[in-house]
Structure formats: structure tokens, C-alpha cells
Amino acid sequence: MARIPLAIIGSGGMGTRHMFGLAELEKAGLNPFDLVAVCDIDQTRADLLADAARDALGRRPAVCADIEGVLRAGAQAVDITTVPRFHHTVAADAIGLGLDVMVEKPVGLTIAAAHALQDALRGSDRILSVAENFRRDPTNRLVKSLIEEGVLGEPRYFHQSSSGGRDLMAISVWRHLKDESGILFDAGTHYTDMMEYYLGPVASVYAQMRLFEQVRYNPAATGGAPASDPGGVYGQFQAAMPAEFTATADDALFALVNFESGAVGQYTENRAGHGRSEWARTVHGSAGAVDIPKDRSGEPLVVTLEGSRTFTGAEILPLVPGFQLDDATAALFGGERATAYGLDFETVDRLLLAVEYAEFGACIASRSRPEVGFDEGMRAIAVCYAMMESGAAGGAIVKVDDVLGGAVREYQRSIDIAIGTSA
């Protein structure tokens, strides 16, 4: 079958990570795409990505400065990896030009931005896949199976807490600027997607939110090692970023989450934590609980059932006879019932992106709906903003439906003004 001509739009760190994911799919003999172009308004970045693609894929894609250049290069599908404020506009333009789209999360920087993309999708037959990689981790697939097969009983309680980061820059400056995304939103849309993946729709939340570290520091600008460099691709850009800057986005969120099912969740994301770094995620049900390792760590789950019976790794498999990974994940992670994997973060990051590409290609070929489409992407940002709207209002109870409908949007208002969207 002929390969699908693809372009990556956005040639920074995330675009580079995605290209390496495509290279992993190529090595596995599962790549449905031909990378014909890379696109960025910064030609230096585009050239760097094109060179990296030549080394990883064996052919240098064309370098383009705009979406019209992508069309001239013959692309029929695009992968959008720009900074978040442009996700909805570039995706809408691509849909309008008849291209199938995979767009990095978030699907929009605000609810109003996402609605603008929804307007572009209305009446279109184009595929829109939202790149949410955490749920594709084999350990998270196994958690989903434990819940669906009733091993934990009736789900009652979700807990996630993390702390770390101190006053250092998290990857890039824009992750600390409210009008560009902010770290709570950038990371939070991953985690709200995971909440609903595990336990279904969130009905309402209430939260407290803080900006603890008003000045952030970038050690790479003064010759030090990057404070954070996931995937090993951001360091080349961080030296040119400011050594210190003022943060405008909150960096800590403490929330109580009410699921439509009646389950309750606690969620803490402290990106200004000092001293000991922490991570914990658990799901508790009427018959047991599961301790879940950090995403992309490859560490095994620990399941504890009544009578303090504990199962970990492959010991869990007899509990979930229906557990089976999709073909691409199985090929990349060592089998259709893989429960853990001894791989470094960089490799896991690339493999999960490869899984996203495999599904995107399959959806294009079959004209079928992706697992994470517009609706799922919209709900992830709505739950995240419900928490942030609650925090900005001092802890008021916020219904997710009110955020989805635009009735609650005060926190987002200044962002909408900055990016030119409206409710």
C-alpha cells in the first residue's frame, strides 16, 4: 500500500520528538507515512529537523515556512507540533485545505479556541487525532483492563499527587506564561485525560491554585545542564532562552474531583516543590486498589486485593484474561500482554509517539475515528480549566459542563484576549 505523504508543522522540541517516534515506527516496519516536509516559521529550526529526519529516516524532507509550502510538497496529512496557542488555528487551516490532522494536545489553548476548531471540523470528513500519549503506555492500558474487567470492584477513589521543579524552568519559557499555556495546563491536560480514561466523565471540581515561584531560572543559559530535557531534544534550544524570567502562570494546583459515576478523586500538581520530589497515582475500588507508576517509567503496577493479596508485573495477567495490547503497541513493547518494560525514558517517549502515528495512519486508511479525537481532547482541556477556574475563584465548585459551554471562563478571559479568540 502506498505511504501517506506527511508533514510535521512545528520543528522545535516536540516536532523533533515526534519525528523520532516516526523513526521508531520505521525501524519496526510499521510506518504508514512518508515524511515529505517539515514546516516552521524559523528556518533554522526547520533545517535542523530536516537534517535529523534525513539521518533517522534516510531522506531529507522539504523545508517549508507555511502550510501552502506543505501542500506544494505533496502532503496529504499533517502532524501539528507548534506551541499550543497555534494548535487550533493551524489545525483549522489544515482541515480547510483537505488535510488529515494529528495535533498535539491541547486541542485548543482555551475552550473558545477549541470551539473555533470545532467550527472548522463541522461538515468535514477529515480525520482529527489529538496526540495524547500517556494513555497509550502499556501500564495504563493494563490499569484500564483491571477496571473494565472488575478486578478492583466498583471504582470509588482516584488519587494523583506530584511535587518537584523548585524554581527552575520546566523545558521552555512558554510553559510558565499564562497566555502561552502555563505548566499546570500543559501537564494537566495529560492528567485530566487519564482521569477520564480510567473512571469516565468528571462532573465537577473544586480547587485551590497558587503561583509560588514568581521568578524562574534556566541554568542552560549560563552553561549549566538543562533543568529538564525530556526526550533529550530541548537542550539545543535552551541555551538561547533567558537565564531568568518572570512567571505569569500558576505553578501549583490542589483539587477535589467528582466523577459522574460517584467516584471521587484528589489531584495535586505542585511544580514548585522543593526538597523531595514525589509521585503517586492510585485507583481504589470496592474490591482492591492499584498503585500506578509514573507514565513512561516502565515500572510494574502493584495490585492489592482483599486479604492483602498483592500482585505485580506478570502476576497480574491471570486476573485480566481479556487484556491485550493493539498490534503496534505489542510489536514495539514486546508482546500483546506486556506488563512492564526495561527501557529508558527517551526510548519509551519515542515508542509511545510511534503508537500514536500507527493509529493515525490506520484511521486515515480506514476513515475511522481515532481513540482520542476532538471530543476527548475538548473534555481534557475542560476538566483542566474547571480546576483552574475554581482555583482562580478561590475554590468555588465548578461544573465541567459550564466550562464546556463557556458559562465559566473568567480565568481564560485574558488568554482569549491575547490569542484573539472569544466565547
Side-chain angles (χ1 to χ4, degrees):
M1 190 172 83
R3 293 197 177 193
I4 303 161
L6 174 78
I8 295 176
I9 301 179
S11 300
M14 187 55 73
T16 304
R17 287 166 67 185
H18 275 232
M19 187 279 295
F20 283 133
L22 198 63
E24 292 293 336
L25 207 56
E26 181 74 21
K27 286 192 290 186
L30 299 171
N31 184 13
F33 295 104
D34 178 18
L35 184 62
V36 297
V38 296
C39 178
D40 203 289
I41 58 174
D42 184 333
Q43 184 172 340
T44 299
R45 289 196 176 199
D47 280 327
L48 284 171
L49 181 54
D51 289 344
R54 176 196 59 210
D55 295 341
L57 295 167
R59 185 166 72 88
R60 192 176 194 271
V63 171
C64 307
D66 52 38
I67 199 166
E68 287 76 18
V70 164
L71 282 174
R72 289 193 296 272
Q76 296 175 11
V78 295
D79 176 18
I80 299 169
T81 55
T82 65
V83 294
R85 69 183 297 161
F86 300 118
H87 285 181
H88 72 289
T89 54
V90 178
D93 288 346
I95 293 290
L97 291 169
L99 299 169
D100 292 312
V101 173
M102 182 163 77
V103 59
E104 254 299 333
K105 62 84 201 167
V107 72
L109 191 53
T110 63
I111 294 296
H115 279 309
L117 174 55
Q118 187 177 38
D119 289 343
L121 279 168
R122 194 168 286 115
S124 171
D125 64 351
R126 295 298 88 191
I127 301 295
L128 179 78
S129 176
V130 181
E132 270 292 356
N133 54 343
F134 284 17
R135 64 162 63 201
R136 301 180 192 277
D137 191 315
T139 55
N140 286 327
R141 296 301 205 195
L142 184 54
V143 173
K144 179 72 167 177
S145 189
L146 286 165
I147 294 169
E148 288 186 334
E149 296 194 36
V151 176
L152 306 180
E154 178 189 6
R156 292 178 173 176
Y157 173 57
F158 168 86
H159 169 256
Q160 180 176 315
S161 60
S162 64
S163 182
R166 298 165 28 208
D167 57 358
L168 300 177
M169 181 179 76
I171 308 176
S172 306
V173 174
W174 63 259
R175 287 178 171 85
H176 300 282
L177 304 179
K178 178 183 176 182
D179 294 346
E180 298 287 342
S181 172
I183 191 63
L184 296 180
F185 186 64
D186 182 57
T189 51
H190 278 306
Y191 298 136
T192 52
D193 179 71
M194 290 306 305
M195 290 177 199
E196 295 208 335
Y197 175 63
Y198 289 151
L199 296 180
V202 173
S204 65
V205 303
Y206 58 94
Q208 291 288 317
M209 188 166 60
R210 299 289 186 272
L211 172 53
F212 285 132
E213 298 294 347
Q214 298 186 17
V215 177
R216 289 276 171 168
Y217 298 93
N218 168 26
T222 53
S228 57
D229 187 15
V233 300
Y234 295 93
Q236 61 183 323
F237 307 119
Q238 290 177 344
M241 296 178 188
E244 65 177 83
F245 57 91
T246 300
T248 58
D250 296 275
D251 52 27
L253 182 69
F254 312 91
L256 188 66
V257 180
N258 298 300
F259 293 88
E260 288 184 6
S261 66
V264 177
Q266 285 183 298
Y267 173 74
T268 296
E269 180 72 4
N270 180 13
R271 291 298 182 118
H274 290 255
R276 184 181 65 190
S277 294
E278 296 181 348
W279 165 266
R281 183 191 286 158
T282 56
V283 174
H284 299 254
S286 59
V290 57
D291 291 284
I292 306 164
K294 194 169 186 179
D295 309 287
R296 297 173 288 184
S297 71
E299 296 176 4
L301 304 177
V302 178
V303 176
T304 305
L305 302 181
E306 301 292 7
S308 299
R309 292 178 296 148
T310 300
F311 307 82
T312 188
E315 297 171 350
I316 297 171
L317 290 177
L319 303 175
V320 283
F323 171 64
Q324 184 172 327
L325 298 170
D326 64 90
D327 291 345
T329 307
L332 293 164
F333 283 92
E336 63 183 17
R337 283 169 64 80
T339 61
Y341 43 88
L343 302 171
D344 61 84
F345 176 91
E346 182 177 296
T347 300
V348 176
D349 184 62
R350 295 176 179 187
L351 293 180
L352 294 179
L353 295 170
V355 173
E356 291 179 344
Y357 272 125
E359 190 216 28
F360 183 41
C363 288
I364 292 173
S366 63
R367 308 313 298 173
S368 58
R369 191 182 184 284
E371 177 177 332
V372 186
F374 177 84
D375 291 344
E376 292 81 8
M378 173 69 112
R379 285 201 60 86
I381 67 172
V383 176
C384 194
Y385 270 129
M387 296 179 190
M388 298 170 77
E389 294 284 1
S390 174
I397 295 175
V398 172
K399 295 181 179 178
V400 174
D401 282 349
D402 287 341
V403 175
L404 280 167
V408 177
R409 59 182 291 262
E410 189 59 36
Y411 180 83
Q412 299 166 76
R413 194 177 302 277
S414 65
I415 308 174
D416 281 323
I417 291 170
I419 66 175
T421 54
S422 59

